[in-house]
Amino acid sequence: MNTQFSCVGCGKCCNDHHVPLTLTEARAWAADGGQVIVLVEAFLGNGLGLPAQQREHAERRSCRVPSGSTEAYVAITFAAYNVGPCRNLDEEQRCRIYERRPLVCRIYPMEINPHIPLNPQAKECPTQSWEQGPQLILGGELVDLELAELIRRSRQADRDDIPTKTAICALLGIRTTALKGDGFTAYLPDMTALARAIDQIQAQPPEASSQSWRFHLSGEDIASQVQAAGAQVVSDTPLDYAFISLRAA
Ligand code: SF4
Ligand code: SF4
């Protein structure tokens, strides 16, 4: 499949998009006065929540943690919390931090997850941006080698950062996850506390995390499966997080 693309600078991808950040970018976002959202999902050691075709990708970007009498694998995303326009978007729809914008901003509209093919219909970019410019994908392959390198770096940061992000969550008391495919738990940590936690963990790299995690599920059927696997399930109303369900209503 061939796809051509040229960004028309409409700024839509800078509105209402939580932009995944590397740990270094999250620290810079905090220093700039921005808010980070922490999104958590996990699968179980017995494979519950793990799509078979995504095993390698999911395992490499997750951290093994205890839950109840079993083990879970948490994947944690730190993202710029963008409700409405990004704080760095100016009136002309230009990025104020263009030279140091996050990796994911440089990669859009390409996907980071190797299992998600680029689907122009699922992207914010208007039709005209797909009807002009150089070939983005030729014969199913990404043409731009610099862009391919940015995607590689983003995936690598995801893998490298996960032990540190898990330790930061432990410091912040973040310990409830969703089951991968069922939803996410979403936290909006105090940014001074998050910055302090990043600095503390980076000054003294973490050992394997011993914090026990709990699962928040979308319904009783899936909760009973997770519980039967030995993991801890919460049934109380969330106080410090929101549960984002991926299950069709
Ligand atoms: S940092 Fe810049 S490129 Fe990234 S979402 Fe914000 S305004 Fe857009
Ligand atoms: S939505 Fe697409 S066309 Fe519009 S600014 Fe973002 S990358 Fe460019």
Side-chain angles (χ1 to χ4, degrees):
M1 186 193 92
N2 299 340
T3 306
Q4 66 177 146
F5 176 75
S6 177
C7 173
V8 296
C10 67
K12 282 191 185 159
C13 58
C14 304
N15 280 272
D16 293 315
H17 276 257
H18 300 326
V19 177
L21 302 170
T22 66
L23 202 52
T24 306
E25 290 168 350
R27 183 63 184 87
W29 204 261
D32 286 350
Q35 175 68 53
V36 166
I37 184 169
V38 179
L39 299 161
V40 192
E41 58 177 350
F43 57 91
L44 289 175
N46 69 0
L48 193 61
L50 177 63
Q53 70 280 14
Q54 294 193 19
R55 174 174 284 275
E56 189 190 346
H57 174 68
E59 284 179 346
R60 290 179 75 179
R61 63 188 297 270
S62 63
C63 184
R64 189 171 60 183
V65 295
S67 177
S69 60
T70 188
E71 285 176 334
Y73 294 78
V74 284
I76 300 165
T77 302
F78 286 0
Y81 181 62
N82 285 344
V83 174
C86 172
R87 64 196 308 277
N88 295 313
L89 194 66
D90 73 11
E91 295 71 24
E92 272 94 48
Q93 307 302 317
R94 290 175 191 277
C95 177
R96 290 192 191 91
I97 60 162
Y98 190 78
E99 294 305 322
R100 61 181 182 94
R101 68 197 188 286
L103 263 181
V104 166
C105 300
R106 297 164 192 261
I107 291 167
Y108 195 89
M110 287 302 297
E111 299 287 352
I112 308 292
N113 185 330
H115 301 284
I116 302 179
L118 175 64
N119 175 9
Q121 274 80 49
K123 295 295 173 178
E124 298 283 5
C125 312
T127 310
Q128 68 189 106
S129 62
W130 303 103
E131 295 173 343
Q132 60 186 25
Q135 292 294 340
L136 179 64
I137 294 174
L138 202 54
E141 295 291 327
L142 187 56
V143 175
D144 185 337
L145 295 182
E146 279 181 34
L147 184 54
E149 172 60 14
L150 293 177
I151 294 171
R152 189 202 64 75
R153 276 175 49 201
S154 178
R155 287 179 189 157
Q156 191 60 47
D158 220 17
R159 295 163 187 162
D160 293 345
D161 290 348
I162 185 61
T164 311
K165 286 193 283 191
T166 307
I168 289 166
C169 284
L171 275 181
L172 296 176
I174 294 175
R175 64 189 190 103
T176 304
T177 179
L179 184 70
K180 187 171 170 57
D182 190 51
F184 291 93
T185 54
Y187 292 80
L188 289 175
D190 174 81
M191 289 306 292
T192 305
L194 178 65
R196 200 181 303 129
I198 293 175
D199 293 345
Q200 182 179 331
I201 298 285
Q202 286 189 323
Q204 190 171 2
E207 297 181 359
S209 179
S210 59
Q211 172 180 248
S212 188
W213 285 72
R214 319 160 334 152
F215 279 81
H216 186 124
L217 289 315
S218 65
E220 284 180 17
D221 50 346
I222 189 70
S224 61
Q225 289 180 52
V226 171
Q227 215 155 18
Q232 188 184 353
V233 171
V234 285
S235 51
D236 41 319
T237 308
L239 293 177
D240 59 342
Y241 65 91
F243 176 73
I244 302 169
S245 179
L246 292 180
R247 187 180 277 205

